[in-house]
Every structure is written in C-alpha cells, then in structure tokens.
Amino acid sequence: MNLIKPDTSLYLLLITLLFTACKNGKTSPNASDSIKQQRVSISYHLKTGDDHCSNQLIATVDDKEHIIIDFDEHLFLYIQLQGDFNNDGATDVLLEHRHGCHTSVTGTSYVSSEGSSYFIMTYDGTRFRSTKEIGIAWNGIEMKMKDGTLHFSIATSLNPSYSIKKELSCTDKEAVYVLEGYDLKQTSKTENKKIEAIKEVNSTALINNTSVVNSEKYLGFDINGDGTKDLLTMTYDKTVNGFSELKIRLTNKINIETIETFKRSVNRVGILESKTNGMHDLVIDCNSLFKWNGETYSPNHKILETKKYRVFAKNGLIIRDSPEGNPIGKFDYGDVIEIIEKMAIEMDYEEEEYVTIEGYWYKTSFLDKTSNTKQQGYVFSGYLANLDKCTLFSTWDEMSISNKGITYSLHAQCYYVYPVKIINENEVELIWSQDMDCVFDSGLADTYTSIKNPENGKPFAKFTLHGETLKATYYYPEWVQKYNENYPAIFKETFSLNYPSLIDY
C-alpha cells in the first residue's frame, strides 16, 4: 500500500490563514451558517488613533485581547450596545459608524451632517464576523425588545432636520432588523411617500440662499374652477427655515384667508388634481393633505384629540371671555381641566426677558364660584400639560427620554446622550457611554478602585414609569454612590415629570 505524504507547505499555508482569521478576522456572514451554542466571556472596547478619527475595536475573549478592527480601516466608531443579540451564548456588539470626522493640525472636528450607519460584530466560536452596514441615520437608532428578541429600527434620510441648508426629503424610510444567525434580517419597512401635485412651490432655493431673510412666493391657479386664477401666497421666514404663513385669495371673494397648517414651518405647497366641495385639494410638504370644508382648508386628519390637561402655571392660569379678552376666572396650579375646542389662534407670551412661551388659545369650561354655574372661557395652552403625552418618553427633571436616547442636561453647555434599550412601554434601560458635549469636567468618566465601574455599551440603569413619577434601579450602585458624593447628585432614585415638555405644538 502506497502512502501519500502530505504537502508540508500547504499545511503551513492553511495554519497561517486560520491564525490570521482568528486574530484579525472580521469576515462577512454566510446565511447558511448555523448558530453554535457556546459559553465564552467577551467584552468590547475602542481605542482612538492619533488622528482622532480612526478607532481600533478590541475584543477580550476569555481574558485574551483580539484586534477586530484596526486603525488603518479609518472608521470613526461608537459602541452602541453589547449583548447576545442572536442567543448563541456569545456577546455581540452593535457599532455606530459616524461619517464625517475630519482632523486638523489643532485637533479634531466632528461633522454630523454626513450621518451614521450601523453594523454588528458577532463571534461564532472560532472567528469574528461583521454584518453589512445599514442606514443613514441622523438621530440615533431605536433598540426595542419584542417577543424576546431585540429589534433595531434604523432610518435612512436625505438630510437631518437640523440642517441649515435643508431640502424637503420625501424618500425617507425606516427599516426594522433583527440579528438572525450572523446577519441582519429586515422584518419591516415604512417609507415617506410624496403626493404628486399638478403645480407646486417649495422653499429650497430660499433656504440655500442665506442672504434671504424674508420673502414671498406666489402660486396662481384656478382653484375653485370659476375660470379665473386665484392666488396662494407663501411667506418665507429664515428663522424657521421655510414658509411661516400661507394665505389664499379667491377672485370671487374680497377677503384674504389664512390657511392654518398647524406647523411652525412648511417647505412645500402643492395643488392636486382631486377636488373636495368644488375646490382643488392641497398638499403640504410631502403628503399632508388639506381639503376645503366649505369655509376654509383644513387637514384631512384630526389634529390634537386630547381633552385632559394639567395646569402648571405656578401662579395659576387666567380664564378669559375670548382669546386675549377680559379675565373671568382662574385655574389653580395642578388643576386637571377639560378642553372643549382647540382654536387655530397662536399666542406668544413673554414670561421673562428673552424667554417666550409659544402656544394657542383653547376653549374650556369651568365652574364660576360666584354664580355656582358652569361657564365657558379661553385659556393659553403654553401652561397646559397634555396628559396623553405623559408617557415614559418624556422629560424628567434634567433627564429626557426618547425612543432613541436618554439625554442628561447638566448645564447649558454640558449634556450627555446615552443609548436607550426599550424593554416595554413602561421600562427602559440606559446604556452607558461617553457621548457628550461638555465644556467642563462632569466626572462621568471617573473610575473608582475596588468597585465595579460602568462599561461602555452595557446597561447602567433601568427606569420604570409609575404614574407621573419615574423610578430608577442602578446596576452599579457603588459607583453611583461615589459619584453622587463627589458631584451634583443627578442619579436619583425618583424623577419628577417636567410639565413644559408636554405642551402642544
């Protein structure tokens, strides 16, 4: 029997390739790969390169460090969340790739106007794997537990809402993904679709021309079908990046009517082929449909359905006989009142110098104490908290919770933004990070000896909604105690609702 001797050089090549894959191996996933259950301790952290815009991702596997992403890949990364997303027993990491980091000789400058994409690094027991990058998001990512699986909701948008040179984006979409095996699987998608108009005007050119402060644009069209052109007038205001006022004048009427859009700013106004009550329908921005109700244009959907509000004006809220009319009564601080009608009449109240409260006039009912009869009057909405908005996703003292992040405002020049993991409608977890804009030392990066310190990407606290109170459970109680002893105690056991955050706008 002839024995075939193995090729030693081939063996060496295979060993070298395997070693390289294990050490520095970030491989693309294969959908056919099956999940391998494993018991392994993994944690991830980042190191920043000399250019301040390149990161090295390091995974510690059973106390041994592995470089997964190196500086030469020039990725500006941020650890969003660490956890076992595919239930294989190994810790994965969700990474945000922030586009637009530019360096100079004096330091680093981060340009947020290029958006962020996301991907996940996994470990299959032998090597690390990277999912594809998804999304172009500007305001973070939603992470939500559903049926025992973590769902990632990521938006793809043309531009951020806070961009100075803003053009209306009607192609935005938001997709939901889960980690299935070693790749991201899309489970659903919603898209912002544009309603096409037969004639339209937009504010893009005015926004991009920074020298224009105020201007008017006109749209002539036979809106009521009487054979003569009517006129739509859009007033542009630079301070709101769009049209602040929309008016219509019909040739068979003397008066010029204001169309209430229920928006502070409008970027597009279009006339549609369809008609309601003999008048062409209008589209505002991408797809807000307005129809003629016989007297004026109104949205095709109901606005502001809430009836129950809480008064939070410290000195009480004056009731008037008409919008800006004479006082006829007063609600006390903390009163819960019922609103009968929400008028499309704006009001700005200067609470103090440089502090203006915006709102509307609302019609309400109250008990007149003199006559002991129920009467009606008008109140300013700027001091009314919409109780339907009293959810977990509100502002609590110096902390604001949204579906995409938790923000601590320590000072006018210091705030920290933390990722948030949604457990259910009444519970969320704050994920630790060092994502901040702060001009002084807040102490949130401090570590203490002989105790467990917070780790980036790991849950730091759980917040639970109890009525109009928020209760906190901290996973690093010793660190919290140390921090609260040395700095202003922002990590409290209970948080109170910030009523001004619940105003209707």
Side-chain angles (χ1 to χ4, degrees), residues 477-493:
E478 292 178 301
W479 185 93
V480 168
Q481 182 179 351
K482 288 279 189 182
Y483 180 87
N484 287 342
E485 289 173 354
N486 293 289
Y487 299 94
I490 61 172
F491 298 117
K492 300 179 290 188
E493 292 184 0

Side-chain angles (χ1 to χ4, degrees), residues 320-327 345-348 361 378-379:
R320 301 182 183 275
D321 59 4
S322 63
E324 300 189 46
N326 297 316
I345 303 173
E346 292 186 23
M347 177 186 170
D348 294 340
W361 285 104
Y378 296 84
V379 292

Side-chain angles (χ1 to χ4, degrees), residues 143-376:
M143 304 181 294
K144 186 175 184 179
M145 293 299 299
K146 184 179 179 182
D147 300 327
T149 302
L150 191 59
H151 289 63
F152 308 95
S153 181
I154 304 172
T156 297
S157 179
L158 176 66
N159 54 16
S161 58
Y162 49 81
S163 173
I164 296 176
K165 290 189 175 182
K166 185 174 100 176
E167 61 179 293
L168 185 66
S169 174
C170 296
T171 59
D172 296 351
K173 59 185 177 182
E174 188 158 4
V176 179
Y177 296 86
V178 295
L179 183 64
E180 188 173 276
Y182 301 108
D183 201 4
L184 285 166
K185 177 186 176 182
Q186 182 177 300
T187 60
S188 64
K189 182 176 70 173
T190 57
E191 294 186 73
N192 186 22
K193 295 184 178 179
K194 180 180 179 181
I195 298 178
E196 296 298 333
I198 55 178
K199 198 170 184 180
E200 66 178 66
V201 170
N202 66 64
S203 61
T204 302
L206 293 169
I207 293 173
N208 291 334
N209 186 347
T210 56
S211 64
V212 177
V213 177
N214 298 100
S215 182
E216 286 190 340
K217 287 200 121 182
Y218 305 95
L219 185 55
F221 191 85
D222 183 9
I223 296 176
N224 56 7
D226 65 356
T228 58
K229 279 189 177 182
D230 307 300
L231 188 66
L232 282 169
T233 304
M234 284 69 65
T235 303
Y236 173 76
D237 185 348
K238 181 181 179 180
T239 61
V240 296
N241 267 351
F243 301 125
S244 60
E245 192 173 48
L246 173 58
K247 293 183 178 181
I248 181 172
R249 180 171 184 176
L250 302 176
T251 53
N252 62 353
K253 290 188 177 182
I254 298 175
N255 295 334
I256 299 175
E257 299 288 340
T258 298
I259 299 175
E260 177 55 58
T261 64
F262 296 94
K263 295 183 177 183
R264 295 290 176 189
S265 174
V266 167
N267 294 109
R268 172 181 177 247
V269 179
I271 298 172
L272 305 181
E273 187 71 49
S274 58
K275 292 183 178 181
T276 302
N277 296 322
M279 300 275 284
H280 281 272
D281 299 330
L282 303 180
V283 60
I284 304 297
D285 289 336
C286 295
N287 48 26
S288 297
L289 190 61
F290 280 64
K291 296 187 175 184
W292 185 258
N293 62 15
E295 296 181 357
T296 187
Y297 277 100
S298 61
N300 195 39
H301 58 279
K302 292 184 178 179
I303 300 290
L304 305 173
E305 292 293 332
T306 307
K307 290 187 177 180
K308 296 292 185 181
Y309 287 78
R310 186 181 297 280
V311 176
F312 63 87
K314 293 295 184 182
N315 297 320
L317 187 61
I318 300 296
I319 309 167
R320 301 182 183 275
D321 59 4
S322 63
E324 300 189 46
N326 297 316
I328 56 174
K330 183 179 179 182
F331 289 119
D332 292 329
Y333 174 84
D335 283 352
V336 175
I337 69 173
E338 184 171 335
I339 297 301
I340 300 171
E341 183 181 358
K342 299 176 181 181
M343 315 296 292
I345 303 173
E346 292 186 23
M347 177 186 170
D348 294 340
Y349 173 70
E350 190 172 336
E351 186 175 54
E352 56 185 271
E353 190 175 8
Y354 307 118
V355 178
T356 300
I357 308 298
E358 299 176 335
Y360 296 87
W361 285 104
Y362 285 179
K363 189 176 183 180
T364 185
S365 61
F366 68 102
L367 181 66
D368 181 66
K369 295 179 181 179
T370 303
S371 62
N372 200 32
T373 59
K374 203 169 186 179
Q375 297 188 20
Q376 295 183 353

Side-chain angles (χ1 to χ4, degrees), residues 4 30 39 52 113 252 281 334 358 407 423-424 434-435:
I4 301 175
N30 188 331
R39 289 186 179 180
H52 301 287
S113 60
N252 62 353
D281 299 330
E358 299 176 335
T407 302
I423 301 173
N424 54 53
Q434 291 298 324
D435 191 20

Side-chain angles (χ1 to χ4, degrees), residues 27-45:
T27 65
S28 298
N30 188 331
S32 63
D33 288 344
S34 59
I35 287 290
K36 303 172 185 176
Q37 287 298 319
Q38 50 193 303
R39 289 186 179 180
V40 60
S41 174
I42 306 177
S43 64
Y44 301 86
H45 67 277

Side-chain angles (χ1 to χ4, degrees), residues 375-498:
Q375 297 188 20
Q376 295 183 353
Y378 296 84
V379 292
F380 174 51
S381 72
Y383 291 103
L384 293 176
N386 184 332
L387 294 184
D388 271 2
K389 293 182 180 179
C390 180
T391 68
L392 178 63
F393 304 105
S394 302
T395 299
W396 306 87
D397 294 331
E398 64 281 326
M399 178 180 69
S400 297
I401 302 177
S402 77
N403 66 326
K404 294 181 179 179
I406 296 177
T407 302
Y408 269 89
S409 299
L410 307 185
H411 184 272
Q413 293 179 306
C414 183
Y415 65 88
Y416 279 69
V417 180
Y418 297 93
V420 61
K421 177 182 174 183
I422 303 171
I423 301 173
N424 54 53
E425 63 180 8
N426 293 318
E427 286 185 320
V428 296
E429 284 184 326
L430 181 152
I431 310 302
W432 194 249
S433 76
Q434 291 298 324
D435 191 20
M436 49 81 174
D437 185 357
C438 194
V439 297
F440 60 84
D441 181 16
S442 65
L444 290 170
D446 289 359
T447 57
Y448 303 98
T449 57
S450 304
I451 66 170
K452 189 178 180 182
N453 292 287
E455 186 177 347
N456 287 344
K458 298 289 185 70
F460 170 78
K462 181 171 70 175
F463 297 104
T464 306
L465 180 66
H466 292 271
E468 295 183 16
T469 301
L470 196 67
K471 294 188 177 180
T473 302
Y474 296 103
Y475 302 143
Y476 299 83
E478 292 178 301
W479 185 93
V480 168
Q481 182 179 351
K482 288 279 189 182
Y483 180 87
N484 287 342
E485 289 173 354
N486 293 289
Y487 299 94
I490 61 172
F491 298 117
K492 300 179 290 188
E493 292 184 0
T494 59
F495 294 79
S496 300
L497 190 62
N498 185 308

